[in-house]
Amino acid sequence: MWPAAILLALAAAAPASAAMVKDGSTCIVTPLSTTPAAVAARSIGAVAPTERDLDPADSPDGDSALWAAQDPRPLGRYPRAEPGSGRAAPVVARRVDDEDPVVAGPVPRQNRVDDTPQILSAFSQCGKNGVIILREGTYYIRQVMDTTSLSNVSIEIYGTLVWSADNLSYWRQKSFSVTYAGRQTAWRIGGRDIAMRGFGKAVFDGNGQAWIDLARGQGNLDGRPISLTVWQGTNVFIDGITWRMAQFWHTFIAHSQNVTMTNLDMNTFSTSGQSSVNTDGTNTWNSKDITISNWTVKCGDDCIAVKGNSSNVHISNVVCRESGAMTVGSVGSNSNQPDYVENVVFENITAIHSSNAAWIKTYPGRGYVRNITFRNIRFEDVNQPIYVTSCIYSYQNCDSSRLAITDVRWENITGTSRYNVAAGIHCSSAAPCDGFHFSGIDIKPKNGGTAKVLCSNIKNQASSGLTCTGPCPGSHPQQLSGNV
Ligand SMILES: *[C@@H]1O[C@H](CO)[C@@H](O)[C@H](O)[C@H]1NC(C)=O
Ligand SMILES: *[C@@H]1O[C@H](CO)[C@@H](O)[C@H](O)[C@H]1NC(C)=O
Ligand SMILES: *[C@@H]1O[C@H](CO)[C@@H](O)[C@H](O)[C@H]1NC(C)=O
Ligand SMILES: *[C@@H]1O[C@H](CO)[C@@H](O)[C@H](O)[C@H]1NC(C)=O
Ligand SMILES: *[C@@H]1O[C@H](CO)[C@@H](O)[C@H](O)[C@H]1NC(C)=O
Ligand SMILES: *[C@@H]1O[C@H](CO)[C@@H](O)[C@H](O)[C@H]1NC(C)=O
Ligand SMILES: *[C@@H]1O[C@H](CO)[C@@H](O)[C@H](O)[C@H]1NC(C)=O
Ligand SMILES: *[C@@H]1O[C@H](CO)[C@@H](O)[C@H](O)[C@H]1NC(C)=O
């Protein structure tokens, strides 16, 4: 039994990288919090809302309902290690042993455990022709990580990484730009021949509830960081990682080629009154040759979104809850820059209680979306399963868009719609949709009756296999609030 005061002194004195050991080309990292020195320091997840360094301008009334327990239940249908895998970081003080609970008095910020330096040290010493192992336990991440010049590295993660939430201003100021739409990220990985494996044991906990409550429904709060970005990566393999309460989008794939991401489990969903908007599973952008397979995602926004300049993207075996499921877009947001998306397959997808299921959203911009397949999409209680728009969000200038959407197949699309609309498709009259093909479409309103199919400006409508029951105006919204 260690008196708390001694432990605190040790924690302050311990060199940051004490737990990283290099053995040949292998760097092994052990969480500082499992060393005696750190036991006295509280979990950073336990920092009281009043202690968080929130920017008062963003959180005018210092809402004391900020902290709410997250949902720790693993949702995955894929075999995963129990029980550590899906577990949230502890939000109570750790105990040294059964008789000796540590008194969780306030720990000065500078004494709180930070595992970032030793992790970054492992990346710099073993990130080329090496192996990086993060052993089991909880790692406290208090700093941004930029690990973008990796080559031939195997990253093996067995522990839980918890991103701090006691200084959100820090993340907003220091997170790295990913250029897209002014967004930022807390961790960039890039380089060549990178494998990052979590074995169903790695958990990335972004303390997302704090971000959701700070953003208060504002979609793109400046500086709110994407959890993990694959940035200028070639031959990247990411497998077996569980996310709980990501800060913003769970992942982003940008300026990358040949990226495979499999067996991922993501769950970020608000338990306060605030919405979990922009907690997308992933977005691809300026990237090609992407494979996404075996994901389970519960989030408050798009499950998988294929954005501008993405090609050869294959997505399969994904279960999405509460999300936007499978989407191409948004693309064409910058009228000065064309956006090109082609050769995308979404197959064997399940969507539960989502906004849409198989859809395409563009701004009235330039470029094209072509050769897209949605196949074997099954869903329950989806607001508007099939949706195409040329003027997402504004619903203005819909017919001036020159961003053509062509050669799109919807095959074997079955399930229940929330209201009496199976499909709403509005293409721009300046660049009508063409080469649309529908087969095996069986969509029934969950409360009975028949579903409407609304469409406008599909050039090959007669041969598309879809019987339209009425026109779809540009103003037709992405989400309905009742029968139309
Ligand atoms: C997807 O999950 C299934 C079932 O667990 C497994 O058999 C298969 O190997 C996984 N596929 C990939 C690409 O990891
Ligand atoms: C890749 O790194 C491993 C060590 O992890 C090394 O054994 C192997 O030789 C490296 N491959 C190349 C092509 O350098
Ligand atoms: C929060 O982070 C900012 C930016 O790094 C820093 O200037 C500030 O001192 C931090 N606040 C606290 C209380 O640590
Ligand atoms: C793509 O990346 C994988 C690793 O995920 C690698 O095994 C494969 O060789 C790469 N393909 C090409 C064409 O380089
Ligand atoms: C997409 O690629 C084209 C051609 O390479 C380029 O001109 C355009 O700027 C890119 N668009 C975006 C949004 O990056
Ligand atoms: C359409 O995309 C699929 C899947 O990526 C690809 O196999 C096929 O070659 C593409 N077709 C054309 C005409 O590019
Ligand atoms: C998708 O499901 C079909 C039908 O069950 C199966 O034949 C096909 O192999 C699956 N595709 C993938 C990529 O898992
Ligand atoms: C249609 O999709 C379902 C999954 O939603 C799959 O089980 C079934 O095999 C598919 N049918 C065909 C003909 O591929």
Side-chain angles (χ1 to χ4, degrees):
M1 174 187 120
W2 296 68
I6 292 179
L7 290 169
L8 277 176
L10 283 172
S17 58
M20 204 284 279
V21 174
K22 186 166 191 276
D23 177 11
S25 58
T26 300
C27 287
I28 302 173
V29 186
T30 305
L32 294 172
S33 55
T34 63
T35 60
V39 173
R42 292 182 310 166
S43 157
I44 54 174
V47 173
T50 49
E51 270 190 75
R52 290 198 194 127
D53 182 27
L54 302 181
D55 182 340
D58 292 317
S59 187
D61 63 8
D63 193 348
S64 64
L66 282 182
W67 188 253
Q70 61 199 40
D71 178 0
R73 283 166 298 163
L75 279 169
R77 68 187 166 115
Y78 308 107
R80 282 172 190 284
E82 299 274 352
S85 58
R87 201 150 290 225
V91 293
V92 293
R94 290 170 155 272
R95 293 166 76 102
V96 173
D97 60 50
D98 285 351
E99 292 101 65
D100 187 24
V102 169
V103 180
V107 176
R109 252 173 236 275
Q110 64 273 19
N111 290 355
R112 289 183 191 148
V113 173
D114 182 6
D115 284 286
T116 325
Q118 58 156 345
I119 293 174
L120 290 176
S121 165
F123 274 91
S124 71
Q125 294 188 53
C126 296
K128 290 191 168 69
N129 299 316
V131 178
I132 294 165
I133 299 173
L134 271 60
R135 297 175 60 195
E136 290 191 11
T138 302
Y139 296 86
Y140 296 118
I141 310 298
R142 307 184 65 80
Q143 296 170 50
V144 293
M145 296 194 283
D146 194 26
T147 52
T148 43
S149 43
L150 306 172
S151 69
N152 179 33
V153 63
S154 173
I155 305 155
E156 303 173 11
I157 304 177
Y158 297 90
T160 295
L161 276 63
V162 184
W163 276 262
S164 62
D166 58 347
N167 187 352
L168 300 184
S169 303
Y170 165 79
W171 295 106
R172 295 184 65 187
Q173 286 168 31
K174 303 291 182 183
S175 293
F176 303 107
S177 168
V178 296
T179 64
Y180 176 80
R183 299 303 94 210
Q184 295 179 201
T185 190
W187 189 5
R188 283 199 302 205
I189 63 162
R192 300 184 62 85
D193 305 313
I194 301 161
M196 182 190 276
R197 293 184 183 82
F199 311 98
K201 292 187 170 183
V203 177
F204 290 2
D205 177 347
N207 262 309
Q209 190 69 50
W211 287 101
I212 288 168
D213 293 331
L214 178 68
R216 297 173 159 265
Q218 182 189 337
N220 288 324
L221 177 76
D222 282 344
R224 181 176 168 190
I226 297 162
S227 173
L228 178 69
T229 296
V230 178
W231 181 258
Q232 295 176 350
T234 301
N235 308 338
V236 178
F237 177 66
I238 297 179
D239 180 77
I241 296 171
T242 297
W243 269 261
R244 288 294 177 264
M245 300 310 290
Q247 303 93 312
F248 185 67
W249 299 349
H250 292 79
T251 59
F252 185 36
I253 303 166
H255 296 294
S256 293
Q257 180 172 6
N258 186 22
V259 177
T260 298
M261 293 169 73
T262 47
N263 303 303
L264 303 183
D265 178 340
M266 302 171 174
N267 185 345
T268 298
F269 207 73
S270 179
T271 48
S272 74
Q274 302 295 339
S275 107
S276 29
V277 65
N278 272 341
T279 52
D280 305 29
T282 199
N283 285 270
T284 71
W285 184 63
N286 279 300
S287 293
K288 60 184 171 181
D289 307 330
I290 315 282
T291 303
I292 285 171
S293 183
N294 278 4
W295 290 26
T296 302
V297 180
K298 180 179 175 186
C299 71
D301 216 301
D302 296 331
C303 185
I304 310 287
V306 175
K307 286 185 161 32
N309 290 349
S310 296
S311 60
N312 305 337
V313 184
H314 193 265
I315 294 142
S316 62
N317 299 316
V318 178
V319 178
C320 306
R321 290 177 169 83
E322 307 298 331
S323 70
M326 298 299 120
T327 183
V328 171
S330 306
V331 298
S333 56
N334 185 340
S335 55
N336 297 318
Q337 279 186 317
D339 259 339
Y340 304 110
V341 176
E342 63 186 332
N343 308 342
V344 181
V345 177
F346 299 92
E347 67 176 320
N348 303 356
I349 308 295
T350 302
I352 316 267
H353 201 253
S354 292
S355 64
N356 306 86
W359 60 302
I360 299 173
K361 49 177 169 176
T362 82
Y363 291 92
R366 293 193 293 137
Y368 57 71
V369 170
R370 68 186 185 200
N371 190 20
I372 313 294
T373 301
F374 296 98
R375 181 193 295 139
N376 304 346
I377 315 280
R378 193 165 53 87
F379 49 88
E380 285 169 26
D381 191 10
V382 164
N383 185 304
Q384 182 163 223
I386 297 174
Y387 184 68
V388 176
T389 180
S390 57
C391 49
I392 190 71
Y393 307 128
S394 76
Y395 306 111
Q396 306 276 318
N397 305 315
C398 308
D399 289 307
S400 66
S401 178
R402 286 177 293 139
L403 205 161
I405 305 170
T406 60
D407 195 9
V408 185
R409 287 161 297 280
W410 280 267
E411 301 168 358
N412 187 19
I413 313 290
T414 62
T416 54
S417 56
R418 191 162 311 153
Y419 304 114
N420 65 344
V421 178
I425 299 174
H426 180 92
C427 301
S428 164
S429 58
C433 295
D434 199 6
F436 273 24
H437 293 284
F438 297 85
S439 61
I441 311 293
D442 182 4
I443 301 174
K444 295 188 170 66
K446 70 170 185 176
N447 293 324
T450 51
K452 296 184 182 182
V453 173
L454 309 175
C455 14
S456 289
N457 304 323
I458 302 175
K459 204 168 167 185
N460 73 317
Q461 187 169 313
S463 63
S464 70
L466 189 70
T467 304
C468 298
T469 60
C472 184
S475 59
H476 184 69
Q478 178 209 335
Q479 295 196 58
L480 307 171
S481 48
N483 285 344
V484 302

